[in-house]
Amino acid sequence: MDYQKIIEIVAKKHNTTPKEVDEEIRRAIDISGYKMSPLIFIKLISTKIKTDYIS
């Protein structure tokens, strides 16, 4: 799934705009100190969530 589709799904689910979701993701990346694309960041976080859920 591409980045644009992901942020559209998240925006719809949380009753906001894709632009606001994108800005929030980019802020999270900046705060984390990582130098990565938003799509890689989403994959990293989703893997962490899945791992925590299974544990």
Side-chain angles (χ1 to χ4, degrees):
M1 187 175 302
D2 71 342
Y3 179 67
Q4 187 62 37
K5 184 69 175 168
I6 292 169
I7 64 172
E8 287 172 5
I9 291 168
V10 172
K12 185 176 181 180
K13 182 174 181 174
H14 294 280
N15 197 30
T16 188
T17 66
K19 182 177 187 257
E20 289 174 338
V21 173
D22 178 64
E23 290 171 352
E24 192 68 24
I25 290 170
R26 291 177 190 277
R27 259 193 304 276
I29 293 169
D30 287 342
I31 290 168
S32 73
Y34 291 119
K35 302 291 184 208
M36 63 180 67
S37 74
L39 184 58
I40 298 298
F41 185 76
I42 289 169
K43 288 180 180 182
L44 176 70
I45 296 304
S46 66
T47 300
K48 171 82 173 116
I49 291 168
K50 288 176 188 174
T51 302
D52 287 351
Y53 182 73
I54 293 171
S55 299

